[in-house]
Amino acid sequence: MNEEYLLEAKSIKKSFSGVPALRNGSLKLRRGSVHALCGGNGAGKSTFLNILMGLLQRDAGDIYIEGKPVHFSGPSDALDAGISIISQELEPVPGMTVAENLYLGREPKISGFIVNYRKMFGDAEQLLQDLHFDISPRTLMSKLSLAQIQLVEIAKAISYNSKIIIMDEPTSAIGEKEAELLFSSIRRLQTRGTSIIYVSHRMNELYQIADEYTIFRDGQFIESGEMTEIDRRTLINNILGAELEEEFTKFNTPNENILLEVNGFTRKPVFEDISLRLYDGEILGIFGLMGAGRSEFLETLFGTFELDEGYASVKGTPFVPVSPKAAMQAGMALVTEDRKGSGLVLEGSVKDNISLASLHSVSRLGVVQRTKEVASVDRLVTQFSVKAASRELAVKHMSGGNQQKVVLAKWMKTEPCILLLDEPTRGVDVGAKREIYHFMSEFARDGKAIIMVSSEIPEVLGMCDRVIVFRRGKMTGELKGDGLTQENLAKLAS
């Protein structure tokens, strides 16, 4: 084996129930490099990474670390060999503290059997401080936001001091500021000789942090090379296997009719005195750093949390967000940032998930009319181009992009006029993103409107007609037209 490579994987194969998920997974990782593993949802990336981590067993192929063949029977073997992972699937233990989650299964002990909590909390605090993550090690995981949970997962992977760290969508739940902290940590790790396998659907990140790339498509290795030798458009086209006409598809036009008006919305200590107007045909963006109160505002507007002060109206009719049911009756729908945690029933089928929020529309005297339900589900599956072998397929077996389409289809079945989107393209590939952007423009064009929270500045600039910026729970400004720039967003948010 070539000694300049820390890891080599050759011709890895894996099938599930006879269906190939990985036909030829191959990658060469240099020492001290950041290697971008690129591919659309369903390309085989996660299967490949799970095999590298010992979470799955390969059917065929070879893996070498420092020139020596390896075979991992489980994750502990991979950790012992110097490989750790930041998984896209966040699975914290909610009832434990941050420190307990960080060192779960490897707690420092006194006399070999009593957990040394003082040392554990001290080590956790030092680790979080070194990474500049503003999280207390004594906080329960159940009290953290999705973004904070992601930061804890990042810290946990780094704490193993591994030779190889797999980062699978590490920034999908965090903002620009936190991403910069991660990139700084990655650069420090590189100076120690640590190698990173980096997966992200955010193209800007790949060009910012990666040295080399490998592309998978349909479970197969397509090509690899240096990031400096491939331009963004070519990279996207090679990931898709087709020419991408345009990344953002925007054709809605706002008018002067007020669809939603919010006045003085306050939920202390999360946000205070938020007032805004949403017009017919508009895509209104809400931007801010982590902890700015963006997601909490959407959830409160949808009635998930109790409002302290303020009032609202929808189409001129007073609206009080006392519950999600009241919000739905007013014509609202909320797509949350965590589709697996709050958007889907993962064990449920495509059909059951799409029908979940609107069973009354296909029921008579409390009994679901299956023929009517199936017809409406099939229509939405076609409308959103959901790729599934059957409407009875459990959504846990679907790619991130298709899962997100199922969430959107579920809410569209309720026939909303106002769509609240929280990180609508989180963990979704460029092809599925374009389909979601097309849907957004189409929805707004048809006399409806969208409020979108997004941490991706290109997405905000590419899809929003106006943007309201939050900072520490307060509105700091509104941007539109020529004033809607990356510089102005950053200035108002920080």
Side-chain angles (χ1 to χ4, degrees):
M1 293 291 99
N2 192 325
E3 291 187 1
E4 70 177 309
Y5 296 116
L6 180 56
L7 177 144
E8 287 191 66
K10 294 185 172 184
S11 305
I12 307 299
K13 295 180 174 61
K14 181 66 179 179
S15 296
F16 297 98
S17 302
V19 180
L22 198 59
R23 296 180 173 89
N24 174 25
S26 300
L27 183 143
K28 294 180 179 181
L29 179 66
R30 297 180 191 273
R31 297 174 188 273
S33 71
V34 177
H35 196 112
L37 178 57
C38 308
N41 292 121
K45 304 188 304 298
S46 292
T47 301
F48 178 76
L49 296 178
N50 285 334
I51 289 171
L52 288 186
M53 197 61 208
L55 293 162
L56 292 173
Q57 300 302 306
R58 60 187 184 269
D59 297 335
D62 301 296
I63 299 174
Y64 301 87
I65 293 180
E66 296 181 321
K68 298 176 181 179
V70 295
H71 186 91
F72 303 140
S73 58
S76 60
D77 290 346
L79 287 168
D80 290 342
I83 305 177
S84 61
I85 187 169
I86 300 166
S87 176
Q88 185 179 357
E89 311 303 330
L90 303 177
E91 296 180 351
V93 182
M96 287 185 170
T97 64
V98 168
E100 288 170 321
N101 271 264
L102 285 172
Y103 296 106
L104 186 63
R106 55 194 179 109
E107 300 88 349
K109 295 182 179 178
I110 302 170
S111 302
F113 62 93
I114 300 173
V115 175
N116 188 339
Y117 283 100
R118 183 175 180 178
K119 177 172 172 52
M120 184 172 67
F121 283 114
D123 290 349
E125 186 168 8
Q126 187 63 55
L127 173 65
L128 294 167
Q129 283 181 358
D130 289 346
L131 294 170
H132 303 288
F133 292 170
D134 187 17
I135 301 171
S136 168
R138 297 180 181 275
T139 302
L140 289 176
M141 295 296 290
S142 60
K143 301 295 184 182
L144 300 184
S145 67
L146 183 65
Q148 289 172 317
I149 293 171
Q150 181 78 73
L151 294 179
V152 173
E153 287 296 311
I154 291 168
K156 185 176 183 178
I158 291 174
S159 73
Y160 284 98
N161 296 316
S162 302
K163 293 181 288 190
I164 299 168
I165 302 179
I166 298 168
M167 299 188 175
D168 190 1
E169 296 285 352
T171 63
S172 61
I174 62 179
E176 297 276 332
K177 181 180 178 182
E178 292 71 35
E180 281 299 329
L181 293 177
L182 172 61
F183 296 160
S184 295
S185 299
I186 288 174
R187 294 182 186 104
R188 288 197 299 271
L189 290 167
Q190 283 185 272
T191 63
R192 302 181 201 165
T194 304
S195 301
I196 312 289
I197 299 176
Y198 194 92
V199 177
S200 177
H201 293 306
R202 298 179 176 182
M203 295 293 110
N204 289 352
E205 288 185 2
L206 302 186
Y207 283 96
Q208 188 174 349
I209 198 67
D211 304 303
E212 296 177 289
Y213 72 92
T214 290
I215 296 174
F216 283 9
R217 190 171 65 241
D218 298 326
Q220 298 193 72
F221 169 84
I222 300 300
E223 68 176 54
S224 62
E226 295 185 14
M227 288 299 300
T228 55
E229 295 180 353
I230 188 168
D231 62 73
R232 179 189 175 100
R233 188 172 188 84
T234 303
L235 179 62
I236 291 174
N237 291 341
N238 290 352
I239 289 171
L240 297 176
E243 187 79 19
L244 182 68
E245 295 175 12
E246 53 185 323
E247 194 166 351
F248 300 104
T249 53
K250 182 170 174 58
F251 46 83
N252 61 293
T253 304
N255 59 45
E256 296 181 356
N257 297 323
I258 299 173
L259 186 56
L260 168 72
E261 188 163 9
V262 171
N263 289 281
F265 262 37
T266 298
R267 183 184 141 213
K268 295 180 179 178
V270 186
F271 58 82
E272 185 177 354
D273 195 26
I274 304 298
S275 299
L276 58 82
R277 288 180 173 180
L278 178 68
Y279 297 91
D280 280 352
E282 183 178 37
I283 299 176
L284 174 66
I286 296 180
F287 182 78
L289 303 179
M290 191 178 80
R294 304 166 305 161
S295 298
E296 292 84 355
F297 171 74
L298 287 192
E299 290 166 344
T300 304
L301 180 59
F302 194 65
T304 306
F305 295 101
E306 187 176 350
L307 184 69
D308 293 336
E309 298 175 23
Y311 59 95
S313 63
V314 177
K315 295 182 178 179
T317 301
F319 163 66
V320 182
V322 292
S323 67
K325 182 178 180 180
M328 291 168 65
Q329 289 173 341
M332 293 186 194
L334 170 64
V335 175
T336 62
E337 64 175 334
D338 184 9
R339 59 176 169 268
K340 294 181 186 294
S342 55
L344 295 166
V345 178
L346 294 177
E347 300 293 334
S349 68
V350 172
K351 172 176 66 65
D352 291 343
N353 271 276
I354 291 177
S355 298
L356 195 59
S358 55
L359 283 172
H360 65 280
S361 68
V362 291
S363 301
R364 185 176 181 184
L365 300 177
V367 178
V368 176
Q369 297 177 291
R370 293 300 177 188
T371 302
K372 190 175 181 182
E373 179 190 21
V374 166
S376 63
V377 167
D378 285 349
R379 175 178 57 80
L380 287 162
V381 165
T382 300
Q383 178 185 340
F384 283 92
S385 302
V386 177
K387 296 179 178 64
S390 162
R391 70 174 81 90
E392 300 300 332
L393 177 72
V395 295
K396 68 179 181 180
H397 297 306
M398 303 175 74
S399 68
N402 282 299
Q403 287 180 344
Q404 191 71 346
K405 291 177 187 177
V406 169
V407 176
L408 289 167
K410 174 186 76 173
W411 285 115
M412 286 307 295
K413 199 167 182 293
T414 68
E415 300 182 350
C417 62
I418 298 171
L419 193 54
L420 310 176
L421 299 178
D422 195 354
E423 304 288 358
T425 63
R426 176 178 176 261
V428 170
D429 68 47
V430 287
K433 277 185 177 183
R434 188 178 186 278
E435 291 179 284
I436 291 172
Y437 295 149
H438 186 276
F439 156 73
M440 288 170 61
S441 286
E442 201 170 51
F443 181 88
R445 181 195 62 187
D446 293 341
K448 303 166 187 176
I450 293 171
I451 300 179
M452 179 182 74
V453 166
S454 176
S455 300
E456 293 193 46
I457 288 180
E459 182 170 83
V460 171
L461 298 176
M463 291 304 299
C464 295
D465 300 295
R466 268 188 312 135
V467 177
I468 290 172
V469 182
F470 281 23
R471 183 167 69 89
R472 297 178 184 176
K474 295 184 178 181
M475 289 176 55
T476 56
E478 176 185 312
L479 300 172
K480 59 182 178 180
D482 293 339
L484 181 51
T485 65
Q486 181 169 339
E487 293 75 19
N488 286 340
L489 284 172
K491 182 179 178 181
L492 289 173
S494 58

